[in-house]
Amino acid sequence: MKFRVVSLIFLLSAVLHAADFIETHEPKFWHGGEFPGATGRVSRADGVLALNYDFSRGGHYVSAQFDLPERPVTRTITLEADFPDDTELTLRIADATGQTFQKRLPGAPGGWDRIRLSVDSSWDGGWGGAGDHVFHQPATTVAVLAENLTIDRPGGAVGILRVRSIELLPEAQSEPAEAGPLQDVSFVELMCRVGAARAELQGIVPELERRGIGAKSRATLATIEDFIPWIEEDVARGFTNRAVREARELAALGARGASRARSILAETTKDFPVPHYRTSKIDISHAQMIADRVWPDGHVDRGPVFLTGYGHFSTIQRELAKMPPLGNHILQMEIGPWSALNADGSVNTNAFRPFLETAARAAKENVAITLLLSPHYFPKWALDRHPHLKTCGGGFLGHCVYAPEAKSVIEKYLRAIVPVVRGNPALHSLCLSNEPETHVYAKCPVLQREWPKWLAKRHGTIAAFNVKMKTSFESFRNVPMPETFKNNPQSTVLAEFQRFNTEMFAGWHRWMADVIHEMAPEIPVHAKIMVNPCFDWASNATFYSVDPALFGQLSQYNGNDSYDNYRAGRSGWDSGWSHGWLAMQAGYDWQRSVADKPVFNTENHIHPDRSGGYLPGAHTYTVLWQNTIHGQSATTLWCWERAYDSGKSDFNGLILERPEAFEAWAHAALDLSRLADELVPIQNLPPAVLVYWSHAAVLRGDVSLRDVHTCYRAANFLGQPLGFATDAALTAATLVRPLDRARVILLPYGRQVDPEVQVGLDRFAAAGGVVVKVDLRKERALALWLARESVKWGLPDAPLARDPETGLPSYGVETRGYRRKGKAFISLCNHTRQVKKVQLESPGRDLITGELLPSLLSVDPLRPVLVEMPASTR
């Protein structure tokens, strides 16, 4: 105990506290004299550092540096910063060897924001000292810089960058956990409140249902009834911390739900009838699935349905009857060839029995099933019989998918399973593969054989290839393939290989689809591609393996596996937001812009595996809503499981531990079902603004992915649907989707594009489109510039939420909308962590809640709004 106390005192003394750091450390001003022109000064008052900058005569930066005579062990730096759009904060820290590290940190969308940065993070630059890019404790100096964003333009910015609450912490700090509800209430009292809410809802909900309403109240009651035994089991097994957190959330949502139910019963709060999916034939039309819907009064119509549900294992299969009251009508299950095929060539029909039994129950319960075919469950006997299949496998697949021996096994499996499952009314679709990617290339004999053939077909002669690639190979057989996806230097040849590899891999999936459709042409197929890492090339097998456009061509759904996590705090350059919306939405927009088909996310990750802290239900609701706005019509959540292994498995931290999330997913599903007709026109808006995206340009080193992300994120707040203009679309003979309906292409590239791509850009411009080169050095400034410039582009008319001060689209508040029959409809989502005021065209009504809204509207973070209002006459 004595050792622990002494250690604690030492750690506390080592922390440079936020309250006194700025007062006790004298800042040294530097005008960045190695880049002449900048002037400024530094001052302190009331714990705030003010770094004045003047770049009107040039210069790159000014800085305020603090020497650290106490030499603190520093693993995390935190501070708060506030600065205008015309500059950027850079943080520097020097280690014990004199090595200096630097990272640029863009601010939040307006106002003070807290920054948290690990010294072990990825730095933008490092120099001096040991020169090994490793931080050697302790820290010797720390500095903040105001960076000039207009260094190549006259009349640079003048302003003030403010910093406060600096802390240098001796331990690595994760994102701060957000406090959950009812922190000061005892567990016994919490469970008493839960019981009271359940009893009240049990009395009210049946009466509401007799009136044809009460679907969300039923979902709240189901949440309580499901979680009470789970909490009791947690207590019995000794998982008391989890039980208490669950009880807090359950008591809070129970009280809210009971209060709302009373108000609905008294007719002081609006509630609405909600249709449910009924087992029926599903047709695909643009982003929608069309199926039978049964309403509370019993009448059935046919219209768009949004199928939400869960995956992926035995628990949800046993408990599928719980799904419809929660507004959920689809689940995923899987079968693989290792259980279906015997080594002697016979088929184990018992492997299909779980699906057939589950599907029979599902059809009666109005639950659809997407069946994952799981080729990664490749039989061990086949690998033992053909050991060369292990040579070039990778990822989940684990074997060489192109080898004839492997394809023979997979085809036998497909020809065994498809006739068995075909015709089952619960079968929604077949998922071809799980998180597909390839890992090893140069060792694969099939790729070795096909690579020179592909090059010859694409380039004609080796001479033509050498001229274009700036190489000197003697023949196509001499052009090397990378060994794997790791640590490849950027080059033109690498870009060629990436295109070849993605075509080969999509071709293998097309082969599977063709085998299936030869037997059952009516069954839709898709693949669970990990769409987020398709934008991230560094040591990333998915980037080298998967092109969403090619997968969109071979399948009936834009299948994916994607994630969007809640952000309680902030760290790194991608910060200032309430959730990680960019990668998921950009992936959806990419898929929808190249293939006019519904998005089906069969592994929707919105609750981090093994996470233990509180996650607000509003995050869950928002992600599902925004998924739908960007074209998702079906999804299965990861996943319907609970774990008791002390955090070891991926089943920890998920929705069955999170009452708020559980209820929010249900409420969002019910709202989407009810508002499907109003949301369909938003889903079907063709992309008006495209961001140029090129795998090849990334692999040549012509652009950074951060530039692409910055451009997309800034354009996201123009109020127009987005998409991506790819090399394949721009080099096609005619303007194909999405170029045929788009008005603008944004170029987030500093270098010249390929001549073939330039031809496509010129063709697009000749057809009336606008090509815009964008300045990427500051996101908020870019968003403001795009908003001002966009009035010249002839964009489609759309209702907007404007900043009351500037009259421009509000940065941080995403809007998508349309006009129809004298009315305007607009979905709003505030992605920031601050309440944002926006000006609507006129007062309206929130179709989610029924609430009347003023034209000057405060939009809370993580609370989507769907506004119906009279169409503007502007």
Side-chain angles (χ1 to χ4, degrees):
M1 177 62 74
K2 180 179 179 181
F3 173 78
R4 294 185 55 145
V5 171
V6 171
S7 299
L8 179 60
I9 292 172
F10 171 78
L11 287 175
L12 290 175
S13 67
V15 176
L16 299 181
H17 292 284
D20 58 20
F21 182 94
I22 290 176
E23 288 89 345
T24 58
H25 291 75
E26 184 74 27
K28 296 178 181 178
F29 176 78
W30 173 243
H31 52 67
E34 63 269 40
F35 306 103
T39 60
R41 61 187 175 85
V42 65
S43 61
R44 296 175 296 172
D46 300 323
V48 176
L49 174 81
L51 180 57
N52 289 256
Y53 54 87
D54 184 341
F55 299 123
S56 59
R57 288 190 288 259
H60 283 202
Y61 73 92
V62 298
S63 71
Q65 177 174 304
F66 300 96
D67 291 332
L68 305 173
E70 61 274 41
R71 298 295 192 264
V73 172
T74 303
R75 291 188 172 85
T76 303
I77 308 167
T78 70
L79 55 86
E80 294 180 1
D82 177 31
F83 49 96
D85 293 336
D86 55 18
T87 191
E88 189 165 61
L89 167 68
T90 292
L91 185 67
R92 286 181 181 173
I93 186 169
D95 70 8
T97 73
Q99 187 173 199
T100 299
F101 297 84
Q102 173 173 295
K103 193 165 188 75
R104 289 177 176 155
L105 300 165
W112 287 93
D113 201 34
R114 187 158 185 79
I115 296 166
R116 178 181 299 268
L117 182 65
S118 167
V119 299
D120 297 321
S121 66
S122 175
W123 296 89
D124 294 335
W127 61 89
D132 58 3
H133 305 289
V134 175
F135 190 89
H136 299 271
Q137 299 290 351
T140 56
T141 66
V142 64
V144 293
L145 286 67
E147 295 266 7
N148 182 10
L149 295 173
T150 56
I151 55 176
D152 58 355
R153 297 197 301 271
V158 178
I160 303 174
L161 183 153
R162 293 181 173 85
V163 173
R164 68 187 182 193
S165 302
I166 297 175
E167 288 185 300
L168 305 181
L169 303 173
E171 295 181 328
Q173 300 287 313
S174 59
E175 297 287 0
E178 184 163 325
L182 303 176
Q183 293 288 321
D184 299 325
V185 180
S186 72
F187 179 76
V188 173
E189 174 60 23
L190 290 170
M191 295 309 294
C192 287
R193 295 186 186 187
V194 169
R198 176 177 63 175
E200 187 168 10
L201 286 167
Q202 285 173 335
I204 296 176
V205 169
E207 174 57 32
L208 297 180
E209 290 175 332
R210 281 191 286 272
R211 301 180 186 184
I213 54 178
K216 291 169 79 170
S217 297
R218 170 61 70 184
T220 299
L221 177 57
T223 302
I224 295 172
E225 292 179 334
D226 281 341
F227 267 90
I228 287 176
W230 290 335
I231 291 172
E232 291 172 347
E233 184 176 12
D234 280 348
V235 173
R237 289 174 175 252
F239 286 74
T240 53
N241 288 341
R242 188 166 77 183
V244 171
R245 176 170 56 77
E246 292 167 335
R248 287 171 178 161
E249 293 185 30
L250 200 61
L253 71 86
R256 289 193 304 268
S259 175
R260 181 177 180 274
R262 287 194 301 272
S263 297
I264 296 171
L265 193 63
E267 299 184 353
T268 56
T269 294
K270 289 184 178 296
D271 201 26
F272 309 92
V274 176
H276 282 261
Y277 164 76
R278 188 177 74 168
T279 298
S280 56
K281 181 179 183 295
I282 298 175
D283 295 313
I284 298 173
S285 175
H286 302 287
Q288 288 76 52
M289 298 178 300
I290 309 300
D292 291 354
R293 307 180 296 188
V294 58
W295 292 79
D297 63 2
H299 87 272
V300 177
D301 66 2
R302 192 161 178 82
V305 295
F306 297 137
L307 296 183
T308 60
Y310 311 93
H312 295 78
F313 307 108
S314 59
T315 305
I316 187 58
Q317 295 164 30
R318 291 195 309 270
E319 300 180 354
L320 67 85
K322 292 183 176 182
M323 293 173 58
L326 299 169
N328 291 286
H329 294 274
I330 191 166
L331 64 86
Q332 182 182 81
M333 58 186 303
E334 61 182 342
I335 305 173
W338 68 10
S339 61
L341 300 182
N342 298 318
D344 62 1
S346 61
V347 175
N348 176 20
T349 57
N350 288 331
F352 307 141
R353 186 176 300 164
F355 170 80
L356 296 174
E357 293 176 350
T358 303
R361 290 186 292 115
K364 295 177 182 178
E365 297 287 349
N366 300 309
V367 172
I369 298 176
T370 180
L371 179 61
L372 174 60
L373 295 172
S374 297
H376 60 286
Y377 293 152
F378 197 75
K380 183 178 182 300
W381 60 259
L383 291 173
D384 293 339
R385 188 174 297 171
H386 309 288
H388 65 280
L389 297 181
K390 304 175 186 178
T391 304
C392 53
F396 271 97
L397 292 169
H399 67 280
C400 179
V401 297
Y402 307 119
E405 299 90 342
K407 292 179 72 172
S408 175
V409 171
I410 296 300
E411 182 169 358
K412 184 175 183 64
Y413 164 61
L414 294 178
R415 294 195 180 279
I417 191 172
V418 170
V420 173
V421 302
R422 180 187 185 185
N424 193 295
L427 181 65
H428 173 275
S429 57
L430 296 176
C431 187
L432 299 174
S433 61
N434 182 74
E435 300 181 3
E437 55 188 26
T438 57
H439 284 199
V440 181
Y441 313 124
K443 294 180 181 180
C444 177
V446 177
L447 293 182
Q448 288 174 346
R449 183 174 66 249
E450 296 300 322
W451 170 235
K453 294 179 183 178
W454 184 89
L455 290 173
K457 183 177 180 181
R458 176 164 159 78
H459 296 280
T461 66
I462 190 64
F465 175 83
N466 283 330
V467 169
K468 184 172 182 180
M469 300 292 113
K470 299 180 180 179
T471 54
S472 56
F473 295 107
E474 294 181 1
S475 72
F476 287 125
R477 289 191 301 275
N478 299 127
V479 181
M481 292 189 295
E483 290 289 331
T484 180
F485 61 92
K486 296 179 180 179
N487 305 318
N488 293 311
Q490 293 168 308
S491 71
T492 54
V493 175
L494 184 64
E496 287 295 289
F497 173 79
Q498 190 272 348
R499 180 166 179 170
F500 160 74
N501 197 46
T502 56
E503 289 183 8
M504 286 289 293
F505 201 43
W508 177 73
H509 283 84
R510 182 180 293 279
W511 166 78
M512 288 183 67
D514 289 345
V515 172
I516 292 167
H517 287 151
E518 177 190 325
M519 295 176 282
E522 77 283 0
I523 301 179
V525 300
H526 48 92
K528 193 186 294 190
I529 67 171
M530 295 181 287
V531 72
N532 297 48
C534 288
F535 284 105
D536 184 4
W537 83 277
S539 295
N540 187 318
T542 298
F543 189 95
Y544 284 93
S545 308
V546 173
D547 182 341
L550 298 177
F551 276 78
Q553 293 168 12
L554 67 90
S555 58
Q556 286 67 58
Y557 290 95
N558 286 306
N560 74 35
D561 169 333
S562 192
Y563 59 87
D564 176 351
N565 291 332
Y566 176 66
R567 301 182 69 110
R570 63 168 285 170
S571 60
W573 69 270
D574 181 15
S575 54
W577 308 95
S578 55
H579 63 122
W581 57 272
L582 185 148
M584 181 179 276
Q585 290 189 186
Y588 279 33
D589 285 349
W590 185 0
Q591 291 185 288
R592 284 282 299 133
S593 65
V594 296
D596 187 16
K597 301 170 183 179
V599 172
F600 189 178
N601 183 345
T602 50
E603 198 166 313
N604 205 333
H605 291 268
I606 59 178
H607 309 113
D609 299 346
R610 296 178 297 279
S611 58
Y614 170 69
L615 297 175
H619 166 72
T620 301
Y621 187 104
T622 297
V623 175
L624 184 51
W625 181 272
Q626 286 299 111
N627 287 172
T628 305
I629 293 298
H630 288 262
Q632 175 183 281
S633 286
T635 186
T636 50
L637 183 68
W638 175 265
C639 80
W640 187 282
E641 295 288 343
R642 286 171 64 84
Y644 291 93
D645 56 12
S646 300
K648 295 178 183 178
S649 76
D650 291 346
F651 292 161
N652 290 274
L654 304 178
I655 196 168
L656 297 196
E657 297 179 16
R658 303 189 174 282
E660 267 198 37
F662 191 91
E663 180 199 46
W665 181 266
H667 283 188
L670 292 164
D671 284 337
L672 293 172
S673 293
R674 174 172 62 86
L675 297 169
D677 292 328
E678 287 76 17
L679 291 171
V680 161
I682 295 179
Q683 287 193 313
N684 289 342
L685 290 170
V689 177
L690 306 177
V691 178
Y692 174 49
W693 165 253
S694 169
H695 288 96
V698 173
L699 291 173
R700 292 194 306 261
D702 292 345
V703 65
S704 78
L705 290 161
R706 176 173 172 175
D707 290 344
V708 177
H709 288 167
T710 297
C711 187
Y712 173 86
R713 187 162 42 211
N716 188 55
F717 302 109
L718 291 173
Q720 296 286 339
L722 303 183
F724 289 88
T726 63
D727 287 342
L730 286 165
T731 55
T734 58
L735 294 179
V736 298
R737 181 181 176 91
L739 303 178
D740 55 339
R741 302 286 295 277
R743 306 288 181 87
V744 180
I745 297 176
L746 304 178
L747 298 180
Y749 288 71
R751 302 185 187 180
Q752 192 74 19
V753 299
D754 278 352
E756 298 93 334
V757 172
Q758 188 61 54
V759 169
L761 292 172
D762 294 342
R763 185 187 301 117
F764 177 78
V770 180
V771 178
V772 180
K773 291 185 178 181
V774 299
D775 184 341
L776 294 161
R777 285 167 299 182
K778 183 62 179 178
E779 183 179 325
R780 284 184 289 167
L782 173 60
L784 188 64
W785 183 83
L786 289 175
R788 289 171 175 158
E789 288 292 304
S790 64
V791 299
K792 310 172 187 176
W793 297 342
L795 294 174
D797 177 41
L800 290 173
R802 300 179 183 273
D803 185 305
E805 296 182 3
T806 66
L808 297 171
S810 179
Y811 181 71
V813 180
E814 178 187 317
T815 65
R816 298 290 186 270
Y818 61 96
R819 304 183 193 281
R820 184 178 65 184
K821 297 180 180 180
K823 294 183 178 180
F825 298 83
I826 182 172
S827 172
L828 298 89
C829 182
N830 179 0
H831 292 305
T832 77
R833 298 201 305 274
Q834 305 158 350
V835 176
K836 304 279 285 190
K837 284 192 176 295
V838 299
Q839 183 69 53
L840 301 178
E841 295 177 358
S842 63
R845 181 186 298 275
D846 180 6
L847 295 180
I848 298 175
T849 65
E851 176 186 2
L852 293 175
L853 301 175
S855 58
L856 183 61
L857 180 64
S858 293
V859 186
D860 293 329
L862 297 177
R863 183 179 175 271
V865 182
L866 181 61
V867 185
E868 177 190 55
M869 54 191 168
S872 171
T873 57
R874 287 187 288 181

